[in-house]
């Protein structure tokens, strides 16, 4: 059978890599893909991004099912378009994707269904937002309502920063429509974890736990990024906490969406903040898998992902269980010079070691040009190491990272530090 993966990042490379391991697969197409998916003989890039044209292609080429990686096509309604044409696709509908595409929708939903999250108010009027911030005091968090490619959140430690964020979003319209409304919310302190599940409309299948590293530099310094590394499992998510998150956050979310007439299908990613007493709150929902969390998670998945996806699109996920490699997987992101503000493109990438038992490299911002791999985006590679402990997984990842080179490359040396500290 042929399967289509929509997207071009490390997440999509990892999903396609895992799907292609199934012996039932004839071809995995990745649209549009990247340099890594171009190099893998079991994968084929497809230069189409328009959802209607992708549906035409899926119909014509008899694609058995489609898996969507990023949020933008989901928010644009790719799942609705495919389903209207009778094509199997795994992801949320446009309306369900509002859990990610509108922070105001997500906050109002959580409030309505009693799902633990930070206190908040939504504003489109700058003066009202400024006076609310003065009332509440700092630290405080300002978020653009819409999708802003990970740049729409300002965690303001001072009132000045918070007022500046309101000016930027509501007065200067720096994010256009996405910032025409802002959510101002309570600052939550604690440790973050990524909690990702698959949902077929009714049944919920949790994936292995993971933790991301958002800041650019070691010791969590520097600007926020899309993620500089991740590992799985995340030891902060104990079995007790796992059960609580399922009971207090995930199940009420899926039931609440069904009750509101917007049944949820697809990956659902709850970004959690866990306080010092171990209480989880929801920072945000993403209606997709995390990047780079997907890379270590897929490196640990032992179950055939094709069969998992078939159950997911046929609403029979209650019939399967997922089996995981017991080892830790740890992924280090190698980013372009200038990332995240102004990534420099064009550098030649050399030295990527062949995949082996202990490590593999997933591509994101890379392109293959006349047999040469070149940097084409901010996060270029995610190098994953596997090992019986976090330390061994980390060593395997960095042994591979140290063989790779491109001009301007940036990466953290401390991925996994929270797990090592435990
Ligand atoms: P979001 O896109 O909403 O997850 O926000 C991006 C990042 O900002 C999160 O991963 C957190 O590190 C931080 N953040 C978001 N909301 C809060 C909050 N209420 N309190 C503290 N940090 C937050
Ligand atoms: N790693 C964070 C995200 O995918 O949103």
């Amino acid at each position: 059978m042929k399967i289509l993966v929509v997207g071009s990042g490390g997440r999509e490379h990892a999903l396609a890599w895992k799907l292609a391991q199934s012996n039932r697969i004839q071809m995995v197409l990745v649209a549009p893909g990247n340099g890594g998916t171009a190099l893998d003989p079991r994968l084929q890039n497809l230069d189409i991004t328009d959802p209607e044209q992708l549906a035409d292609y899926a119909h014509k080429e008899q694609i058995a099912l489609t898996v969507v990686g990023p949020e933008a096509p989901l928010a644009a309604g790719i799942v609705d378009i495919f389903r209207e044409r009778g094509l199997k696709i795994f992801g949320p509908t446009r309306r369900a994707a509002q859990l990610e595409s509108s922070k105001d929708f997500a906050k109002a939903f959580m409030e309505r269904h009693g799902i633990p999250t930070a206190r908040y108010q939504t504003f489109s009027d700058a003066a009202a937002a400024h006076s609310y911030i003065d009332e509440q005091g700092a630290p405080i968090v300002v978020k653009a309502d819409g999708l802003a490619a990970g740049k729409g959140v300002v965690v303001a430690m001072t009132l000045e920063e918070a007022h500046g964020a309101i000016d930027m979003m509501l007065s200067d319209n720096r994010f256009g429509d996405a910032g025409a409304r802002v959510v101002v919310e309570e600052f939550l302190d604690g440790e973050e974890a990524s909690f990702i599940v698959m949902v077929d409309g009714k049944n919920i299948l949790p994936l292995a736990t993971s933790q991301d590293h958002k800041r650019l530099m070691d010791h969590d310094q520097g600007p926020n990024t899309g993620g500089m590394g991740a590992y799985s499992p995340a030891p902060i998510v104990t079995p007790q906490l796992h059960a609580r998150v399922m009971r207090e956050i995930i199940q009420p979310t899926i039931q609440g969406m069904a009750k509101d007439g917007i049944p949820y299908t697809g990956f659902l990613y709850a970004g959690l903040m866990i306080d010092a007493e171990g209480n989880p709150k929801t920072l945000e929902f993403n209606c997709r898998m995390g990047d780079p969390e997907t890379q270590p998670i897929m490196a640990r998945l032992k179950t055939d992902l094709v069969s998992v996806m078939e159950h997911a699109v046929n609403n029979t996920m209650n019939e399967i269980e997922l089996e995981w490699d017991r080892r830790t997987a740890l992924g280090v992101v190698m980013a372009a010079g200038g990332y995240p503000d102004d990534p420099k493109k064009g550098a030649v990438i050399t030295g990527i070691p062949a995949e082996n038992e202990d490590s593999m490299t997933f591509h994101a911002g890379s392109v293959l040009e006349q047999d040469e791999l070149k940097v084409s985006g901010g996060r270029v590679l995610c190098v994953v190491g596997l090992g019986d402990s976090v330390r061994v997984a980390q060593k395997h990842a960095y042994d591979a990272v140290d063989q790779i080179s491109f001009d301007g490359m940036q990466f953290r040396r401390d991925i996994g530090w929270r797990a090592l500290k435990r």
Side-chain angles (χ1 to χ4, degrees), residues 103 118 141 143 153 155 185-189 192 214 224 273 283-284:
K103 302 246 184 224
V141 181
K143 301 182 175 184
V153 175
V155 180
E185 73 175 30
E186 172 195 7
F187 171 81
L188 299 176
D189 209 1
E192 287 181 59
K214 291 249 160 69
N224 257 323
M273 185 68 90
L283 284 180
E284 62 161 345

